[in-house]
Amino acid sequence: MAGVKETPRQRMIGMMYLVLTALLALQVSNQILQKFVLLNDGLERTSKNFIGKNEFTVSSIASTVEQQGNNPRDVPKVAAAREVRKTTAEVYTYLEELKQQLITESNAKDDQGLYKSSALKNVDIPGNIFNNNRKGFEMQERLNTFPSQISAILKSIDIDMSFQDIAKDAKDIEIFKNDKEVRNKSFVNLNFVKSPVGAVMALISQFQNEVLNIEGEALSAITGSIGTFYFKSDVFKASVAANSNVVAAGTKFEGNLFIASSSSSAAPKMTIDGRDVPVVDGFGEISFTVPPAGQYDDRGLAKRVLKGEITVNIAGEDSVLTVDYEYFVAQPVIRVTSEVVNQLYADCANDLSIDVPALGNAYAPDFTVSNGNFIKGSRPGQVTVIPGNSGKVVIGVSSGGNKIGDVSYDIKPVPAPTIRLFDGRGQIDLSQAYPAPGPSSLVVEAIAEPTFGRTMARDANFEVTGGEVILLRNEVPRERVNISGKNVAIRNLLAASRSGDALVIRVTEVTRTNFRGNKIRSNQPEIIRMAIK
């Protein structure tokens, strides 16, 4: 039986063999012996049909090769087919001679050529011929050598095909390998010892069928290999080759509409610029990332030529078809949009949107930042850059693992906030003296520079955290309180103040809370004078 994956016909023949061998283990009656005779007759008719079909296949192989011009690649296959037929016939004849010897020595037929029940029951003669006289061991060797002979013939014409052994011991047969009473029996003991003549006849006919089946599989493989080197177009599709797949409104679309064809049986090798291209149904699928060009013309384009090669067997010879395809690489322009795009603020979350319009949907951005850090946003191109304290920050832009370019920006220091004073009614007007004894509540606030406060709201949280408020009388300090936050407790100062005094607010430190919640302290010496009338 052939190969790992058996055909339905192979499975049927194998099943018949298993049925025959299983029946040998039973006590057989005259009726069962007659059924063996009928089974043997059916197997012999099948063998004749097999032989006729296989002989026709050999003739068909020779005729097909001749009709195709006796191509040198196919001519040896005719000889191989004939060798398969000759080898099979020799084994088949050998088995037939053993079958006739069994019939003769058992005197199985009467004068009218009919089988005699008494002879068909005989279990001694099969054992004598096949065990005592070693014919069964010889048969096993011939049957199991045959598949290797056929495989060798096929290999000589570059067909790799293997077949299983025909004559198996019980341990190698699925239904017997776990049967304690049978599994240790050899091929000869299983099939011939204590087996009736009628059953052994049918078994030998079954072996003949298995031999012919292997021949049929081999001849089918040879038939299928004839003319495989011819390129036969059987896959077609409509295609469009446009002069450009980018067309501006108001201009012409130009290209070619054509039929592309290929062969589903061909196995061409395709390469682009020396790289292998996957082939599906005969068509190469080109897909690669275009690296940036070193130089671009004044239109932002760089000319490239794609060099393709297709190696395919045409009329028995490997042919190499070449193609040069001209295309242009467009210079990718990095576009950055942001409220702070001209300068990035030091140690702040500068939100940027970085896009490369030329890449379209293929844009898969990644970034690097020198002299700073970054946080990728939720959408492609969104990035938050946190620069260092001074100098320049360089943002590297890549897409799909390919470097697109760099953009760099000056690092702008965070603008100092403006100090403003408030009382319970609002901002205090320092251009006028405050009525004595002074404001009942004093709030000292650090107000962010307007542009910074609007564009960098997450980083524009300032607070006065250091300084003092001094009560002056005749320019001499009389009382003072420390500033530790925006609300300053000045009740003691107000109790001691009188008309003509002044309050001096001296700020020494401002703390900014950045987008991460970190406190950043900075010196901001500033003095504000408030007159009291």
Side-chain angles (χ1 to χ4, degrees):
M1 290 180 285
V4 174
K5 186 176 181 181
E6 296 181 339
T7 65
R9 183 172 64 183
Q10 290 172 316
R11 291 196 293 271
M12 179 195 71
I13 291 173
M15 184 59 66
M16 290 175 67
Y17 170 68
L18 294 177
V19 171
L20 284 170
T21 52
L23 286 173
L24 291 178
L26 302 175
Q27 294 293 327
V28 292
S29 65
N30 288 341
Q31 288 182 332
I32 293 178
L33 287 170
Q34 290 299 328
K35 294 298 188 297
F36 274 124
V37 171
L38 293 175
L39 183 57
N40 179 67
D41 290 342
L43 290 170
E44 288 183 344
R45 285 194 300 273
T46 300
S47 293
K48 289 179 181 179
N49 292 333
F50 253 136
I51 292 170
K53 179 178 181 293
N54 291 347
E55 287 178 343
F56 176 80
T57 302
V58 173
S59 299
S60 178
I61 290 171
S63 176
T64 301
V65 171
E66 183 178 0
Q67 289 174 6
Q68 293 185 357
N70 288 318
N71 189 284
R73 293 197 176 194
D74 276 341
V75 170
K77 296 174 184 177
V78 177
R82 290 170 177 162
E83 183 66 20
V84 168
R85 176 87 277 272
K86 176 176 176 292
T87 303
T88 303
E90 289 173 353
V91 177
Y92 183 90
T93 301
Y94 165 75
L95 293 172
E96 185 63 29
E97 289 173 351
L98 286 176
K99 190 196 305 180
Q100 294 306 318
Q101 180 183 350
L102 175 65
I103 294 171
T104 300
E105 292 191 15
S106 64
N107 194 24
K109 292 184 178 181
D110 60 19
D111 294 339
Q112 284 76 39
L114 301 176
Y115 287 103
K116 297 184 291 187
S117 296
S118 59
L120 293 175
K121 277 186 170 184
N122 191 307
V123 296
D124 295 325
I125 291 177
N128 185 56
I129 294 173
F130 296 101
N131 186 37
N132 299 342
N133 294 336
R134 312 296 291 177
K135 288 294 184 180
F137 299 97
E138 180 185 276
M139 178 195 290
Q140 184 178 24
E141 183 177 356
R142 286 290 297 271
L143 286 175
N144 290 343
T145 300
F146 173 74
S148 300
Q149 291 177 297
I150 299 301
S151 294
I153 295 170
L154 295 178
K155 190 171 183 180
S156 69
I157 53 173
D158 297 324
I159 297 176
D160 187 11
M161 195 172 186
S162 60
F163 305 91
Q164 294 182 11
D165 288 343
I166 298 173
K168 299 178 180 179
D169 297 330
K171 63 181 175 56
D172 299 319
I173 300 173
E174 187 67 27
I175 65 171
F176 295 140
K177 66 181 183 181
N178 295 319
D179 189 328
K180 295 180 180 179
E181 296 181 2
V182 182
R183 64 187 179 191
N184 293 323
K185 288 187 177 184
S186 67
F187 167 75
V188 173
N189 192 270
L190 177 67
N191 292 283
F192 304 117
V193 176
K194 300 299 181 182
S195 297
V197 169
V200 174
M201 287 168 45
L203 277 171
I204 296 174
S205 295
Q206 170 63 21
F207 292 141
Q208 288 176 313
N209 269 268
E210 293 204 42
V211 167
L212 293 170
N213 183 64
I214 289 176
E215 177 192 24
E217 296 297 319
L219 294 176
S220 294
I222 295 174
T223 300
S225 71
I226 295 173
T228 53
F229 46 80
Y230 286 104
F231 191 87
K232 302 171 184 177
S233 295
D234 60 354
V235 180
F236 302 90
K237 69 177 181 179
S239 296
V240 174
N243 292 352
S244 174
N245 61 358
V246 179
V247 183
T251 63
K252 290 183 178 181
F253 179 97
E254 296 179 332
N256 294 312
L257 177 65
F258 61 95
I259 297 174
S261 66
S262 186
S263 171
S264 60
S265 61
K269 179 183 178 182
M270 301 187 185
T271 63
I272 287 293
D273 292 338
R275 303 185 302 273
D276 287 341
V277 173
V279 180
V280 178
D281 290 335
F283 293 91
E285 298 183 343
I286 303 172
S287 176
F288 64 94
T289 302
V290 180
Q295 292 183 333
Y296 297 90
D297 61 20
D298 54 3
R299 299 172 299 167
L301 299 175
K303 179 180 175 181
R304 291 288 182 269
V305 177
L306 204 63
K307 294 187 175 293
E309 286 190 354
I310 302 175
T311 303
V312 65
N313 197 305
I314 301 177
E317 298 293 335
D318 283 342
S319 300
V320 179
L321 309 177
T322 61
V323 59
D324 289 348
Y325 181 80
E326 184 179 281
Y327 68 102
F328 292 86
V329 179
Q331 183 177 17
V333 177
I334 300 173
R335 184 178 64 190
V336 182
T337 55
S338 170
E339 295 245 21
V340 292
V341 72
N342 292 326
Q343 290 179 314
L344 302 186
Y345 289 103
D347 200 25
C348 293
N350 298 268
D351 294 328
L352 306 177
S353 179
I354 301 177
D355 191 20
V356 182
L359 298 183
N361 292 333
Y363 184 47
D366 202 358
F367 307 101
T368 60
V369 171
S370 65
N371 194 17
N373 298 300
F374 72 96
I375 303 170
K376 291 185 74 171
S378 59
R379 295 199 301 269
Q382 283 188 337
V383 61
T384 299
V385 177
I386 305 98
N389 291 319
S390 62
K392 285 184 177 291
V393 60
V394 179
I395 305 170
V397 183
S398 300
S399 177
N402 293 288
K403 184 68 178 288
I404 303 300
D406 296 322
V407 287
S408 63
Y409 296 97
D410 291 329
I411 298 175
K412 183 178 182 180
V414 174
T418 302
I419 306 301
R420 293 284 186 266
L421 304 181
F422 297 84
D423 60 11
R425 295 172 295 177
Q427 184 175 337
I428 297 173
D429 183 2
L430 298 176
S431 65
Q432 300 180 15
Y434 202 95
S440 59
S441 64
L442 179 63
V443 177
V444 183
E445 288 196 6
I447 307 299
E449 186 271 331
T451 299
F452 182 79
R454 176 176 58 83
T455 60
M456 309 295 292
R458 290 181 295 167
D459 284 281
N461 301 304
F462 293 94
E463 182 182 13
V464 175
T465 54
E468 60 182 354
V469 178
I470 305 170
L471 175 66
L472 291 181
R473 181 172 298 156
N474 298 324
E475 301 304 319
V476 177
R478 302 296 299 268
E479 300 284 345
R480 67 182 67 206
V481 295
N482 291 327
I483 299 174
S484 58
K486 68 177 183 178
N487 295 303
V488 185
I490 60 172
R491 183 174 300 175
N492 293 338
L493 274 71
L494 296 180
S497 71
R498 64 181 64 172
S499 180
D501 290 348
L503 292 178
V504 175
I505 296 87
R506 186 171 70 88
V507 174
T508 58
E509 180 187 78
V510 172
T511 298
R512 179 172 68 89
T513 303
N514 71 3
F515 73 103
R516 289 195 178 101
N518 297 333
K519 304 291 184 179
I520 303 170
R521 301 180 185 277
S522 61
N523 295 325
Q524 186 169 330
E526 189 166 344
I527 296 176
I528 300 174
R529 184 183 182 97
M530 179 194 305
I532 298 176
K533 62 180 180 181

